[in-house]
Amino acid sequence: MSPLQLDLARAAEERSDPMRVRDSRLDIAKGVLILLVVFGHLLPRIGLDDGLTNLAYTVIYAFHMPAFIFLAGITARSTRLIERIATFVILLIAFQALYYVAERRIGDPFAWSWTDPHWIMWFLLALIWWTLTVPFIERFPRTLVAVSAVVGICAGVLPFAGSELSISRSLVFWPFFVVGKVYGAKLFALTADLPLWTRVSGCAVAFLPLLALFVAGTDAGWLYGSGNFDHLEVSDPRGILIRACLTLIAFLAILALLAAVPDMRGPLTVIGERSLSVYLLHGFLIIALTPALAEFFSGGYGHAVQIGAVVISGFAAGGIAFALSSKPVHWIVSTPPKRAAAAIASLLTPRERAHTPPDPARNAR
């Protein structure tokens, strides 16, 4: 297929798929969530263990990654599958190495592993596993919704479900990806024109279970999704019940988020459009800021410090996200890996042979 034919095919694919056209509400939702990702990673670094910061941490981690994965499912496609997976592989290897170098420079390197992605890198490996399931989701959508729900809730019974190969998180969060792929666009459409009072009440209702998780002292390990039930020290039946409740709570929060996001353009829209660069790069700034943040909030100023920690972390998260979503930064992070992945895919994908029409004059001879 010639480059021109390839461009025309991609343009036809985008026209036939309404979600390929940029949706401001989708980008704003991604912008809100990537801010929460940065904010959630800043909070533990300030060195405080108090009610307000723990409440913010619990609320964020109970739904922000499930919601982010749900949105990833909406935009997932089986077309150019090799190119998409190659892009994730390139980013995973490159940024795993970059984070190793960065942490080695500050004297706190992690143990290098090809099978256990470091820190935020688990998401890229999980994206590879989820993307591989997209053709099956498109072929058997309702079946995969049911299967993924059972797998996600019961994944903790598997003795090998842990951080290796991001298996535990891939299985636990898979239902959000599948539901996003199958029903995400419809849910966005259904929540587009809800009245204001419905949006506000929906957010209030969704917040109550999140608050209950904090009051109940939910272990953060449950929210990470990275360990099996043995690791979390619960029996299988109890673990299945807890995981089912956490899954339902996260889905309720996702629905509230879809209802809350407005249809408008603004800074959050840009941050959402370029959330990949924010996700991959914000860890470097957090590593650099950690000593200063911990020292600043170590003076012991009581409740004022709690409020100040949350407020300053929020502003810092916004500043980091805005800086890392600039067009040049996003281009550097996204374009070279995509071009390299396209080149790899072209080598691995069989090319169409050019069809030469028969020559009537030659046949006559």
Side-chain angles (χ1 to χ4, degrees):
M1 183 178 289
S2 69
L4 178 58
Q5 290 174 314
L6 185 60
D7 289 341
L8 291 173
R10 289 181 178 178
E13 178 190 344
E14 291 179 0
R15 286 195 301 269
S16 65
D17 187 349
M19 288 307 295
R20 290 298 296 270
V21 180
R22 292 234 66 106
D23 186 319
S24 295
R25 294 178 66 231
L26 178 63
D27 285 329
I28 289 176
K30 290 171 65 177
V32 170
L33 291 171
I34 199 63
L35 283 177
L36 292 179
V37 169
V38 179
F39 186 37
H41 286 153
L42 275 171
L43 281 177
R45 304 293 177 130
I46 61 181
L48 290 179
D49 184 15
D50 54 63
L52 189 60
T53 52
N54 289 338
L55 171 61
Y57 192 81
T58 300
V59 170
I60 290 170
Y61 273 81
F63 89 98
H64 79 314
M65 284 313 297
F68 210 85
I69 294 161
F70 176 89
L71 299 183
I74 293 177
T75 56
R77 300 292 179 269
S78 60
T79 53
R80 305 198 307 277
L81 194 66
I82 296 176
E83 181 180 334
R84 296 174 192 273
I85 292 174
T87 301
F88 297 142
V89 171
I90 291 169
L91 289 172
L92 175 59
I93 295 173
F95 278 88
Q96 178 93 343
L98 288 172
Y99 272 102
Y100 182 81
V101 172
E103 296 196 10
R104 189 177 182 87
R105 291 279 295 179
I106 65 172
D108 188 23
F110 59 89
W112 179 273
S113 173
W114 288 103
T115 60
D116 188 3
H118 175 60
W119 192 21
I120 60 176
M121 294 297 101
W122 72 267
F123 182 64
L124 289 174
L125 183 53
L127 272 175
I128 294 172
W129 302 137
W130 297 327
T131 302
L132 288 171
T133 68
V134 170
F136 302 99
I137 299 171
E138 292 177 346
R139 181 69 178 85
F140 310 103
R142 294 181 180 178
T143 301
L144 265 294
V145 168
V147 169
S148 66
V150 173
V151 169
I153 292 171
C154 300
V157 305
L158 302 174
F160 57 83
S163 60
E164 287 289 317
L165 297 174
S166 298
I167 290 176
S168 180
R169 281 168 163 160
S170 298
L171 297 177
V172 167
F173 295 131
W174 188 36
F176 301 99
F177 183 85
V178 177
V179 174
K181 170 65 180 169
V182 176
Y183 297 115
K186 295 178 182 177
L187 290 174
F188 253 106
L190 288 173
T191 56
D193 299 317
L194 293 175
L196 179 61
W197 69 268
T198 304
R199 298 169 185 263
V200 173
S201 59
C203 291
V205 170
F207 179 74
L208 292 177
L210 300 176
L211 179 62
L213 292 178
F214 166 72
V215 174
T218 305
D219 190 300
W222 284 102
L223 309 180
Y224 300 152
S226 57
N228 59 23
F229 295 150
D230 286 339
H231 176 77
L232 294 166
E233 299 180 347
V234 296
S235 64
D236 289 348
R238 181 177 175 80
I240 290 172
L241 178 61
I242 294 174
R243 180 61 65 196
C245 291
L246 291 173
T247 301
L248 291 174
I249 290 171
F251 269 120
L252 182 61
I254 291 171
L255 289 175
L257 174 67
L258 299 186
V261 291
D263 187 5
M264 57 183 290
R265 298 287 302 179
L268 270 179
T269 315
V270 177
I271 292 173
E273 289 175 354
R274 303 167 185 168
S275 59
L276 176 66
S277 59
V278 180
Y279 187 84
L280 292 174
L281 294 175
H282 79 278
F284 296 109
L285 293 181
I286 288 177
I287 291 170
L289 289 172
T290 295
L293 286 171
E295 182 177 355
F296 181 82
F297 291 111
S298 62
Y301 297 106
H303 191 64
V305 173
Q306 299 178 27
I307 298 175
V310 175
V311 172
I312 291 176
S313 296
F315 279 108
I320 289 172
F322 184 77
L324 297 181
S325 63
S326 65
K327 193 171 183 179
V329 173
H330 182 70
W331 188 94
I332 292 171
V333 171
S334 62
T335 302
K338 287 181 180 179
R339 290 182 176 176
I344 294 171
S346 66
L347 294 175
L348 299 177
T349 305
R351 296 182 179 180
E352 289 186 5
R353 294 184 178 181
H355 177 67
T356 304
D359 184 355
R362 182 177 180 181
N363 292 339
R365 291 195 298 269

